[in-house]
Amino acid sequence: MLIAAVDVGSARARAGLFTPDGRLIARASRGFATHPSPGGQAGFVFAEIWNAVAEALAEARRMAGASPADIGALAFDATCSLVVDAAGFGPDVIAWHDHRAVAEAARMSALDHPVVTRAGGRVSPEMQTPKLMWLNAHRPEIIAAGTPIRDLCDHLAHRATGAGVRSLCAAAAKWPYLPGQGWARDLLGLLGLGALDLPGRVLPAGTAIGPLSAQGAAELGLDRNCVVAVGLIDAFAGALGAAPDMPALIAGTSNCVMASGVPAAPALWGPYPGAILPDEDVTEGGQSATGATLEQVRRLYPGPETHETILARIAARPEPEPGLHVLPDLKGNRAPFADPQMRGVIHGLATGADGLDALYWRTAVGVALGTRQVIGHMGLAPARIAMAGGQARSALLRQLYADATGAEIHWQPEDAVLRGTAIAAAAPHLGGIRAARARFGREVQVTHPAPAARERRERDWRIFLRMQEHRAEIIEMSGG
């Protein structure tokens, strides 16, 4: 039997096939479009995502030489995007980074409620409840009709099985749900969402949902005997698949630091009991749109460039532009400021042929310093950090994060996000999610902080903090 994991990110669906002992034997991906709209809106089309999932699975099977009957287990992870399964509503997936609900998030943040406390006291418009409030205000017929509205990871599982099951991971982290207590109906009433229908059992990651439906099997090119398990939000899947027993840094489109035993605090999301593992809580400290910021810089190049070629060129030269400094808050700040309206700053724009490389590198430095700030805000001083996500594939960036944080970076090369989702898929077959995680463990590569970089990064850190002070002063002088 092979175990399939599907990761749906911000632009691509990726499929991986694993053996029961945790070996990754095939991986494939397919892209899908983002559909932006004015007013901070952005969405996806679920049919495009589903087609990308099916094509990625088919390609992974082809690469592995596997038949449909060989795939016995499947789970999905995805960004915390919101699927609104209503006729005439399009695009029908509100993207995780959509900021249409800034006003609704502020209104919710003013309430004294445990759900708000677990959102760090200031609810992000990237969470689902503000988006539900926006729907209720602008498309009330959708709420009134009892339209199916799900987290993307849940809707993928629903399309595959036909079952109405919700992931505890998604419900606890992004919805008005309190583990051990259930849906916060009192809060929904205060927000005008008392009529919201939220059907479906809320189950922990790694719980068997059931076999593929006839439609799901046909669309995915798999056998109906394949059992689908409850999945996770993508960052949580990365934390599950990364090196255990240390905080995890998921560095992809955004950066998330995931750790257990962190109490509730302003601008931190959590703690969420059972969101990844039973009897264990997890708290998230985040940076919004970090990898996306590097992608924006990449798009400034006049010719075709990849992140790999840019980083290789930077690594082969002396470190560029010591006078260039970046606050990389392209789309707001999650922690420590919890301000979705905050914007980035560039000091000392470089010119010349190497200017864009300098801007790219110094943006990466700013992102890594932001991660250091998040870790400190969480009250952590770890000697080791497990790193996962797209940025972790770069040895240069792993070294940068080690130097910026002062911690060893432990990287599991075989795709921690897909591995975490495969662990959830395998859990019903291997005696539970903890047993599956132990079975899937792999050796890691360790990057140590470079002593020669310490003085430079400490100087960068002092400048980073001073720039934040100056930004706050300028915002106040500008009238807010």
Side-chain angles (χ1 to χ4, degrees):
M1 180 187 77
L2 295 178
I3 294 150
V6 171
D7 163 49
V8 176
S10 299
R12 303 190 72 79
R14 302 185 306 129
L17 296 183
F18 294 78
T19 62
D21 64 353
R23 285 187 302 113
L24 175 64
I25 61 171
R27 176 174 49 194
S29 72
R30 290 293 185 275
F32 53 85
T34 299
H35 300 268
S37 300
Q41 297 187 20
F44 310 117
V45 174
F46 184 77
E48 295 178 5
I49 294 174
W50 191 244
N51 287 339
V53 167
E55 291 176 4
L57 274 169
E59 177 64 12
R61 280 202 304 105
R62 186 196 66 76
M63 294 168 65
S67 71
D70 290 331
I71 314 300
L74 171 65
F76 301 91
D77 77 74
T79 62
C80 55
S81 300
L82 189 70
V83 183
V84 183
D85 195 9
F89 183 82
D92 56 354
V93 183
I94 300 177
W96 65 270
H97 53 82
D98 181 292
H99 275 202
R100 72 183 69 189
V102 169
E104 288 79 4
R107 178 185 159 201
M108 183 177 169
S109 298
L111 300 177
D112 182 12
H113 194 277
V115 170
V116 176
T117 301
R118 287 185 176 176
R122 188 166 182 180
V123 178
S124 168
E126 295 172 10
M127 292 182 171
Q128 308 300 26
T129 311
K131 292 172 181 173
L132 294 170
M133 295 167 64
W134 185 94
L135 282 171
N136 196 40
H138 296 270
R139 297 292 301 271
E141 74 280 5
I142 289 177
I143 301 294
T147 300
I149 303 174
R150 303 182 183 92
D151 223 87
L152 180 53
C153 68
D154 295 333
H155 197 70
L156 290 161
H158 169 75
R159 181 63 174 260
T161 64
V165 169
R166 294 176 186 266
S167 167
L168 173 61
C169 174
K174 306 299 178 185
W175 292 71
Y177 184 87
L178 294 169
Q181 301 177 45
W183 295 107
R185 285 289 172 189
D186 58 336
L187 176 63
L188 291 171
L190 291 171
L191 298 175
L193 291 168
L196 181 67
D197 187 21
L198 294 166
R201 293 176 298 158
V202 178
L203 297 175
T207 304
I209 299 173
L212 290 169
S213 66
Q215 177 184 354
E219 291 174 345
L220 296 178
L222 300 177
D223 191 277
R224 284 206 63 189
N225 291 326
C226 178
V227 175
V228 179
V230 177
L232 311 97
I233 296 170
D234 53 355
F236 290 71
L240 178 60
D245 304 321
M246 66 188 79
L249 165 62
I250 316 304
T253 304
S254 291
N255 280 19
C256 305
V257 178
M258 318 286 286
S260 61
V262 177
L268 299 182
W269 298 351
Y272 302 122
I276 299 178
L277 295 170
D279 305 318
E280 186 174 302
D281 64 58
V282 63
T283 294
E284 175 183 349
Q287 299 166 264
S288 191
T290 52
T293 300
L294 293 174
E295 171 64 11
Q296 289 281 38
V297 177
R298 186 195 68 81
R299 291 178 181 176
L300 296 175
Y301 284 81
E305 292 275 7
T306 66
H307 294 284
E308 291 76 14
T309 59
I310 295 169
L311 288 166
R313 196 163 53 239
I314 292 171
R317 301 174 180 174
E319 183 167 345
E321 287 298 332
L324 178 60
H325 304 278
V326 179
L327 297 183
D329 301 305
L330 181 72
K331 202 161 188 177
N333 180 282
R334 294 183 191 171
F337 302 112
D339 185 351
Q341 306 284 46
M342 188 169 279
R343 291 296 176 262
V345 176
I346 300 173
H347 169 85
L349 268 177
T351 59
D354 298 330
L356 286 174
D357 281 355
L359 178 60
Y360 186 101
W361 174 247
R362 297 302 296 174
T363 300
V365 171
V367 169
L369 294 171
T371 297
R372 170 176 170 168
Q373 187 171 47
V374 169
I375 291 169
H377 186 68
M378 296 175 78
L380 303 172
R384 302 175 300 160
I385 298 171
M387 190 172 177
Q391 296 177 53
R393 291 196 293 269
S394 165
L396 182 62
L397 292 183
R398 294 197 303 275
Q399 186 66 61
L400 173 60
Y401 279 100
D403 297 340
T405 63
E408 295 176 356
I409 298 297
H410 290 233
W411 176 56
Q412 193 285 110
E414 288 189 352
D415 201 319
V417 177
L418 277 178
R419 180 168 298 276
T421 304
I423 290 169
H429 305 271
L430 298 179
I433 196 164
R434 289 186 184 276
R437 188 186 201 190
R439 178 80 67 90
F440 273 61
R442 283 293 180 274
E443 289 188 13
V444 297
Q445 295 181 15
V446 180
T447 302
H448 299 272
R454 179 175 176 82
E455 181 179 349
R456 175 61 191 273
R457 294 299 159 242
E458 286 301 314
R459 183 168 67 249
D460 286 337
W461 173 242
R462 293 192 299 270
I463 293 170
F464 182 83
L465 296 178
R466 184 64 60 86
M467 286 179 67
Q468 289 182 337
E469 293 173 0
H470 288 174
R471 175 173 60 187
E473 292 172 1
I474 291 169
I475 291 172
E476 184 176 355
M477 291 170 65
S478 302

